Amino acid sequence: MLKATVNSQTFDIQSDKNDISVNSQPFSWDLVEIKDGNFHMIYNHKSYNAEVLEADYQAKSFLIKINNMKYSVVVKDRFDTLLDQLGMSNVNSAKVNDLKAPMPGLIVDIKVQVGDTVKKGDIILILEAMKMENVLKATGEGIIKAIKIAPKQNVEKNQVMIEFE
């Protein structure tokens, strides 16, 4: 069973091989992917064009445009529901403590300053390693407490580069 929240309205979805039900009502549609992230569907004898605008697979959240209307969708499976019931639903969005060098390299650019607030996915710095530039992003939320490196500085693997509050 899945729970899908679409623009703050929740739906229970059951699936058994080819049979799908939404809120205990049979659900029948025809869905075809036209190209990457773009779909055509027929539901209740009406045609719809759908496009996935944003997809966060870890958080299971999506922004979808259907016939020029945007819908925010969050999907939870039975394991997500169980984690919610146990009070463990925010495990993946934990606060960041520090950013360590994933490999030895040269700091090309630092995109943050002390006191900046970062969210998951924000670019923090660029590290050059093996002649490739690697963009390092925040893995969670936090406030920059200290920057322990400088541009053009060499770093070793697991060296703390950024500390968060």
Side-chain angles (χ1 to χ4, degrees), residues 12 17 26 33 55 59 65 69 71-72 74 99 136 141 163:
D12 290 323
K17 294 186 181 178
E33 185 172 17
K65 183 168 73 171
M69 296 286 295
Y71 298 91
S72 174
V74 178
L99 174 65
L136 301 185
E141 296 181 4
E163 288 181 352

Side-chain angles (χ1 to χ4, degrees), residues 145-157:
K145 178 180 176 183
I147 299 174
K148 304 268 187 184
I149 41 95
K152 307 295 182 209
Q153 177 183 340
N154 287 310
V155 294
E156 296 299 320
K157 182 176 181 172

Side-chain angles (χ1 to χ4, degrees), residues 48-71:
Y48 299 90
N49 292 313
E51 178 182 2
V52 178
L53 300 174
E54 296 175 15
D56 182 347
Y57 294 101
Q58 184 175 3
K60 299 177 187 167
S61 65
F62 307 89
L63 181 61
I64 301 172
K65 183 168 73 171
I66 300 175
N67 287 358
N68 294 319
M69 296 286 295
K70 291 183 182 177
Y71 298 91

Side-chain angles (χ1 to χ4, degrees), residues 9 23 30 34 45 54 59 64 78 84-85 95 100-101 104-105 113 130 144 146 154 162 165:
Q9 188 175 0
N23 292 340
D30 185 24
I34 298 168
H45 307 291
E54 296 175 15
I64 301 172
R78 63 187 175 126
D84 285 345
Q85 292 171 351
K95 190 175 169 185
K100 295 180 181 178
Q113 297 176 6
M130 298 180 284
I144 306 295
N154 287 310
I162 307 277
E165 290 182 11

